[in-house]
Amino acid sequence: VLVDFLFELRARKVPVSTHEWMALMEALALDLHDSSLDGFYHLCRAICVKDTAQYDAYDEAFLAYFKDVHVDALRITEQLAAWLADPRNLERLTPEQQRAMRELDLERLRELFEQRLREQRGRHDGGNRWIGTGGTSPFGTGGRHPTGMRVGGGGGRSALAVADERRFREYRRDVVLDVRQIDVALRGLRRLGRDGAQDELDLEETVDRTCRNAGEIDVVFRPPRRNRVKVMLLMDVGGSMDPYAELVSRLFTAASRAGRFASFSSYYFHNCVYASVYEDAQFRRAVAVADLIAHRPCDEKLVIVGDALMHPAELLDPGGAMYVAGERRASGHDWLRRLAGHFRSAAWLNPEPDRFWGGTTIEVIASVFPMWQLTLDGLAAAVRFLTRGGERPRVGDPSRWVKAASER
Amino acid sequence: MTDDAGFDQFQGTRSYIASDELRHAVNVAVALARPLLVRGEPGTGKTLLAESLASALALPLIRWHVKSTTKARDGLYVYDTVARLHDSRFGGDHDVRDIARYIKLGPLGEALAAPSRVVLLIDEIDKADIEFPNDLLLELDAMRFRIDETGREVTARERPVVVITSNNEKELPDAFLRRCVFHYIQFPTRELMAEIVRVHHPDLTDRVLDHTLEVFFGLRATPRLRKKPSTSELIDWISALKKSGVDLARISGGIPFLGTLLKTEHDLELVGKRAKA
């Protein structure tokens, strides 16, 4: 009977394994739950739920299963947030569609929103009516209604500077990278060396020296093996990277785990690297790229994560940094080349599916930095390249872009 | 308390007040003979739980305090090669051929080799390397291990009661979590807190107790605090107040000995500013 409850839990993303379920059955057989529902509640939670973040979902499942109480009010807001946190399916707008979208004033918009919220029953992506992601409805996030209302999330895609460059973007489920997979892939990124305090007994050497010493004990210590790889991570955030925010944050989590690298630093940028990068994702604490190049050792591994998609002018024109004031003489392309010139090994990880790379600024950037798609395979290949070198992947033909820029 | 006391073996002790949920989780872990993983804010008495459990069950307690350099093997045994080399050179009254003399059991090894049931505390398991819990899986599952140097197999006669604490500094691996019974110690409610303070300071009058709790929960409710004061800090604070002889009923102005409750400059400044405003 209880098996349904197991699936109820799993449906709510509480990862209960068979192992735990068997333990629960064993506990029930021992009557550890006092034959009461309250007892069962605590017993099942202690055995099956291992993360406080999942307690709430457990409570929900429990209520739904045992009391037939629906907690819809709570779920609607949460679900709404969940739909919106997860933008998908950005459609390219045709001029007709754009015309079709009437400009709405704020009052009317608010009224409509409340009405839709009452009517809507499920997740909705794309399309032009319901609250959801993508699509051309005036409500939701990541959509492209010019005067629409943004609900949750951030960074709609209707920024005019990039609107024409957008292509169909699909939400991938086939290769989902979780933190652990990334963790495993990053384990390859190491160069072990003995460094630091000598606190490990070198048994072989001790025996060897002692023998040579005619039995006089000669104890030899050595420093333990540690990873000596230094890593710098540059991350593109905001705007067109919003659909990949979760993926990038997983990569960051895995990379920043304590003790992984000899040194690890991370910076943020928006769209393209210009004169500065930032220590925080809110772009408050700037660090000059020129300083990074001057002070960072060139054997640091540079890993850049970004979709490398922008208007060609934002990459190639000297004044292309439309979000950044300050030095405007060098283009984003120049700054990228300076970085690539300094760091001996670097890689660019792109969450954008590689079949859409052709004919965009990705081609240009891939000619500066060796680029891989941010999938398990791509990450593994990038790690191989960073540790052992090898051939860089070829992407398209960037020459026409550079020519176009010099003509401009 | 004996084994045939049945399921409700742990009821808290005179000096340790446990919530119903915690008692239940402990009893489930004991009955299923699985490790109990306890998480919670620092200062909510995770470590004390093992001590009080040991005294409630009248079993000896073996502690293993995990540090960032601790290796899983250290918990089982350490082979002291240097001492053996030393003895082989300078003689002494030891028989150097007997490797067993140079094997020292670690806390986990001791718990498994113990002649009777013990309580084993693995404290702050998340401090060690991420692989540390994974390295313990087999030993905690099977409750036995092998000393490679001597070929001796150590098997627990009675499965020890294992209490593991974690401060949530690192994610623990799934495979490890699957084998544990989990409990999150919530911060005590005001009623429970009053009971806890009573246990430590039985001579406090109701009015004073009320007043200190008022100040304490007021502090915890201060927004943007970097580190909220914990139970153990509250108890320390009350001790400090008592020792100094400050009239506890009149602490409304500034809070004396604020340093026992707040531990960062930022927090002290913040509370200072709010008090003035």
Side-chain angles (χ1 to χ4, degrees):
Chain A
V1 194
L2 283 172
V3 173
D4 286 343
F5 183 52
L6 168 67
F7 285 103
E8 182 82 46
L9 280 172
R10 292 193 62 103
R12 282 166 212 260
K13 302 260 154 72
V14 182
V16 184
S17 68
T18 336
H19 197 107
E20 285 156 330
W21 201 249
M22 297 309 287
L24 179 63
M25 292 303 132
E26 191 189 324
L28 289 177
L30 289 170
D31 195 31
L32 296 189
H33 61 305
D34 251 355
S35 304
S36 75
L37 195 59
D38 277 1
F40 177 76
Y41 170 84
H42 292 302
L43 176 69
C44 182
R45 194 178 70 179
I47 294 177
C48 296
V49 189
K50 304 293 161 66
D51 188 345
T52 42
Q54 288 154 3
Y55 272 13
D56 191 48
Y58 171 79
D59 286 352
E60 239 182 27
F62 190 82
L63 280 178
Y65 189 78
F66 288 102
K67 295 222 170 120
D68 282 329
V69 178
H70 287 286
V71 276
D72 272 342
L74 180 69
R75 285 196 46 195
I76 280 183
T77 47
E78 272 179 7
Q79 221 170 328
L80 188 61
W83 301 331
L84 299 175
D86 175 15
R88 57 167 80 158
N89 288 350
L90 275 165
E91 263 177 274
R92 187 174 203 164
L93 289 188
T94 62
E96 298 84 69
Q97 277 178 312
Q98 267 168 348
R99 266 199 300 283
M101 287 190 289
R102 279 180 299 122
E103 309 249 314
L104 294 164
D105 67 55
L106 195 63
E107 271 307 291
R108 173 117 180 81
L109 199 62
R110 205 171 282 149
E111 258 170 50
L112 267 176
F113 177 67
E114 278 164 15
Q115 188 194 335
R116 293 287 152 77
L117 196 56
R118 275 195 296 272
E119 293 169 13
Q120 187 163 356
R121 282 285 168 268
R123 177 174 179 125
H124 195 82
D125 291 304
N128 61 9
R129 182 174 168 86
W130 300 114
I131 304 160
T133 64
T136 57
S137 159
F139 306 117
T141 189
R144 36 185 66 246
H145 189 287
T147 59
M149 184 172 182
R150 199 166 84 198
V151 183
R157 294 277 201 128
S158 47
L160 292 173
V162 285
D164 283 351
E165 288 303 301
R166 307 310 320 168
R167 23 209 77 234
F168 179 73
R169 188 188 285 266
E170 73 168 18
Y171 180 80
R172 294 191 330 271
R173 279 183 187 283
D174 51 338
V175 194
V176 179
L177 283 164
D178 65 19
V179 176
R180 184 142 188 97
Q181 285 172 312
I182 298 176
D183 213 41
V184 171
L186 285 180
R187 248 171 240 180
L189 190 53
R190 61 170 166 196
R191 192 163 48 94
L192 292 171
R194 297 193 179 277
D195 232 352
Q198 307 206 336
D199 53 2
E200 192 181 279
L201 176 70
D202 187 344
L203 194 57
E204 300 261 306
E205 189 63 26
T206 301
V207 171
D208 211 42
R209 290 246 210 122
T210 303
C211 292
R212 275 169 215 243
N213 226 354
E216 196 72 42
I217 301 230
D218 192 350
V219 180
V220 183
F221 285 92
R222 65 184 171 190
R225 274 147 64 94
R226 286 204 187 90
N227 193 2
R228 294 215 317 233
V229 168
K230 289 172 260 178
V231 172
M232 181 154 93
L233 183 65
L234 292 182
M235 287 168 287
D236 184 0
V237 288
S240 54
M241 281 296 285
D242 272 358
Y244 306 118
E246 176 64 29
L247 185 61
V248 175
S249 91
R250 281 185 215 145
L251 177 71
F252 176 78
T253 309
S256 59
R257 281 208 169 140
R260 152 135 295 146
F261 303 117
S263 91
F264 173 77
S265 51
S266 61
Y267 299 97
Y268 298 90
F269 64 95
H270 184 53
N271 225 6
C272 183
V273 176
Y274 301 109
S276 305
V277 289
Y278 299 84
E279 280 175 28
D280 57 331
Q282 287 76 41
F283 304 120
R284 294 212 185 92
R285 296 191 299 275
V287 176
V289 174
D291 283 349
L292 284 185
I293 291 173
H295 299 309
R296 291 315 179 95
C298 59
D299 63 346
E300 241 180 62
K301 315 262 182 215
L302 175 66
V303 179
I304 307 184
V305 186
D307 62 359
L309 267 179
M310 59 202 87
H311 193 279
E314 290 178 298
L315 178 64
L316 299 170
D317 279 9
M322 48 191 299
Y323 310 103
V324 190
E327 192 189 347
R328 299 211 155 184
R329 270 154 306 185
S331 68
H333 192 226
D334 292 333
W335 282 113
L336 290 178
R337 276 198 304 209
R338 281 181 210 177
L339 278 175
H342 176 68
F343 293 99
R344 264 188 254 144
S345 59
W348 188 298
L349 295 169
N350 195 331
E352 198 81 10
D354 51 10
R355 58 185 179 281
F356 300 133
W357 288 6
T360 65
T361 46
I362 295 180
E363 284 188 349
V364 188
I365 291 179
S367 73
V368 181
F369 287 104
M371 190 180 291
W372 290 270
Q373 195 188 336
L374 185 47
T375 60
L376 209 49
D377 288 344
L379 186 61
V383 164
R384 249 195 321 277
F385 178 82
L386 285 175
T387 40
R388 263 167 263 158
E391 204 156 321
R392 14 186 325 161
R394 296 206 136 266
V395 178
D397 171 25
S399 58
R400 56 196 160 121
W401 292 88
V402 180
K403 214 164 81 196
S406 59
E407 279 164 10
R408 196 174 292 143
Chain B
M1 209 167 282
T2 52
D3 265 2
D4 46 55
F7 173 56
D8 280 326
Q9 298 193 29
F10 177 66
Q11 299 285 358
T13 55
R14 206 166 295 162
S15 61
Y16 188 87
I17 307 288
S19 69
D20 290 346
E21 288 183 24
L22 175 58
R23 282 212 297 274
H24 198 94
V26 171
N27 288 325
V28 168
V30 173
L32 290 181
R34 274 166 193 260
L36 174 69
L37 172 65
V38 193
R39 269 190 195 164
E41 268 183 54
T44 40
K46 297 186 290 291
T47 310
L48 282 178
L49 171 68
E51 286 171 19
S52 100
L53 179 61
S55 79
L57 300 179
L59 297 175
L61 173 69
I62 296 178
R63 295 155 211 263
W64 184 10
H65 297 286
V66 175
K67 309 213 167 62
S68 62
T69 51
T70 306
K71 300 256 170 6
R73 220 183 111 118
D74 300 346
L76 296 171
Y77 68 94
V78 180
Y79 171 31
D80 193 345
T81 39
V82 177
R84 187 159 175 239
L85 265 172
H86 180 271
D87 285 354
S88 71
R89 172 70 183 80
F90 299 108
D93 40 356
H94 294 300
D95 181 5
V96 192
R97 277 166 300 180
D98 183 10
I99 298 183
R101 280 179 180 282
Y102 301 97
I103 303 276
K104 258 181 64 189
L105 290 180
L108 179 57
E110 244 176 79
L112 295 183
S116 63
R117 199 152 167 235
V118 296
V119 175
L120 171 68
L121 165 69
I122 304 179
D123 206 11
E124 310 198 30
I125 193 167
D126 51 339
K127 271 208 189 133
D129 190 72
I130 177 144
E131 293 300 339
F132 178 84
N134 277 338
D135 294 344
L136 290 178
L137 287 183
L138 179 72
E139 284 76 18
L140 288 179
D141 240 9
M143 292 292 177
R144 69 184 148 79
F145 69 101
R146 205 181 130 87
I147 299 174
D148 288 337
E149 281 79 3
T150 57
R152 177 181 162 206
E153 187 99 14
V154 179
T155 311
R157 275 184 219 159
E158 276 189 89
R159 291 174 76 92
V161 179
V162 183
V163 177
I164 302 168
T165 75
S166 154
N167 271 331
N168 255 349
E169 275 172 31
K170 278 184 209 133
E171 291 266 327
L172 295 171
D174 291 345
F176 175 77
L177 288 177
R178 214 169 55 218
R179 290 167 168 83
C180 300
V181 172
F182 174 71
H183 183 76
Y184 178 77
I185 299 192
Q186 263 172 328
F187 197 80
T189 57
R190 215 183 141 125
E191 290 73 45
L192 191 60
M193 185 61 92
E195 233 181 287
I196 294 171
V197 174
R198 278 248 170 276
V199 163
H200 292 271
H201 299 287
D203 50 338
L204 232 52
T205 63
D206 283 353
R207 222 178 102 241
V208 173
L209 176 63
D210 224 42
H211 201 104
T212 47
L213 287 182
E214 189 70 38
V215 173
F216 177 72
F217 279 96
L219 266 184
R220 275 186 63 90
T222 310
R224 295 195 304 282
L225 224 51
R226 295 249 169 99
K227 189 200 158 300
K228 292 182 176 174
S230 67
T231 313
S232 59
E233 284 161 324
L234 170 67
I235 288 164
D236 287 350
W237 180 54
I238 296 177
S239 313
L241 288 175
K242 278 198 339 200
K243 281 209 180 110
S244 70
V246 174
D247 186 0
L248 287 170
R250 286 191 294 135
I251 49 171
S252 53
I255 304 170
F257 310 113
L258 198 54
T260 51
L261 288 174
L262 299 177
K263 304 292 165 67
T264 71
E265 251 175 85
H266 170 267
D267 290 352
L268 283 171
E269 245 170 63
L270 190 80
V271 170
K273 261 186 224 152
R274 286 174 67 90
K276 266 179 221 150

